[in-house]
Amino acid sequence: MNKEREILAAALKLFVAYGFHGTPTSKIAREAGVANGTLFHYFKTKEDLIVALYNHTKEQLNGYLLTKQDESDSLESRMKSLYAASLEWGFEHKQEFYFIQQFHFSPHLAKVSEEDKEKQSRLHTGLMKQAMEKKVFKSLPPSLIGSILGSHVYATHQYLDSADLKTEDRAKVIDETFAMLWAMITK
Amino acid sequence: MNKEREILAAALKLFVAYGFHGTPTSKIAREAGVANGTLFHYFKTKEDLIVALYNHTKEQLNGYLLTKQDESDSLESRMKSLYAASLEWGFEHKQEFYFIQQFHFSPHLAKVSEEDKEKQSRLHTGLMKQAMEKKVFKSLPPSLIGSILGSHVYATHQYLDSADLKTEDRAKVIDETFAMLWAMITK
DNA sequence: GTCTATATCTCGATAGAC
DNA sequence: GTCTATCGAGATATAGAC
């Protein structure tokens, strides 16, 4: 693995365990097996590293979600596969998923460029727009529906993370919670 | 007026704006109008201050929620008033509400004592237990239902925070989202 | 309890050899 | 690109007068 990747991987591990404040760049470098100066060769500042790790992680997640999308499916099917794939990815990448949330409730969020934000939400907003056009949702503000969708994913992830289920039971929980969610927000 | 309160208020403001990492104790002291040493008289370490601020904030929230509870109400009414009161408080105390979430996704959470955690969740767990006994919820794991309830509050708060509604429209959103939530989780 | 002054230390970041 | 060595800043925390 190249050094940049090693640094990102080490940063993820340590940020999740000790927080941004609790992880000095020196420890990240050591964990990554690189020299202190090397870290600053790849990332000009610590904040740059934090934001880059966020963008990198979101890219990984979105890449996975894209592979699970089938344009020929119905809107409901595509929404469900987005929901299910998010939870599967989150279950297989617990640290990454936790990090995204940690980052989201931090002032570093403001440092993500509009361009990156747009890239990261394109998939979701695209489906949302179609759903609004087809008027499948209850007449509520789109941003409220978006919020509810997103937090339902987090809630289910939180449960899946704490309960230690077999693969098939996990799939069942994902199915059921999506059905509940869908019934709640559609007409 | 008292210095301890001033320090907590200043810490809240700065933590929300700049994060734990981005706020030195020196700035907190200055913002509070007290000397640097005074801060360490009340809080042995910076971490102590962070945890104390969390416990203090949760106490404020729970105190408010308690005043809105009426033991003679039906279970659904009490759940609804808990839901509505949480959102009203969150709307009137945006920084405090944001801080609770920020803290929740930080390693400092581990430093909250079991005793304090129990105190802070007593009201919610009490209602949950009654609901389970009366079998009003769908047959799902209680921790999953609890997660969904909690995150629905955050989702709605997020929307109320971003949209700038009049008081009556806000109440309407709270009513509607609770009705949706209740329909989703009950039999 | 509150202040001033300061000790101690660690961190983020740089310089420069290879 | 990667390393070693190190600097300067600024952080937490303490000491001691009042």
Side-chain angles (χ1 to χ4, degrees), chain B residues 35 38 41-42:
Chain B
T38 304
H41 170 73
Y42 286 106

Side-chain angles (χ1 to χ4, degrees), chain A residues 133-186:
Chain A
E133 279 162 16
K134 292 186 179 173
K135 299 185 196 293
V136 296
F137 290 152
K138 286 183 176 138
S139 58
L140 293 167
S143 64
L144 175 56
I145 295 181
S147 258
I148 289 174
L149 277 162
S151 70
H152 202 81
V153 173
Y154 288 128
T156 307
H157 170 78
Q158 199 177 320
Y159 169 70
L160 291 176
D161 186 23
S162 67
D164 196 30
L165 306 178
K166 290 180 205 138
T167 312
E168 70 252 33
D169 291 330
R170 214 162 56 230
K172 210 177 139 197
V173 168
I174 293 175
D175 277 5
E176 284 175 6
T177 52
F178 180 78
M180 286 163 62
L181 173 63
W182 191 254
M184 177 172 67
I185 59 176
T186 55

Side-chain angles (χ1 to χ4, degrees), chain A residues 3 35 38 42:
Chain A
K3 307 255 171 190
T38 305
Y42 287 105

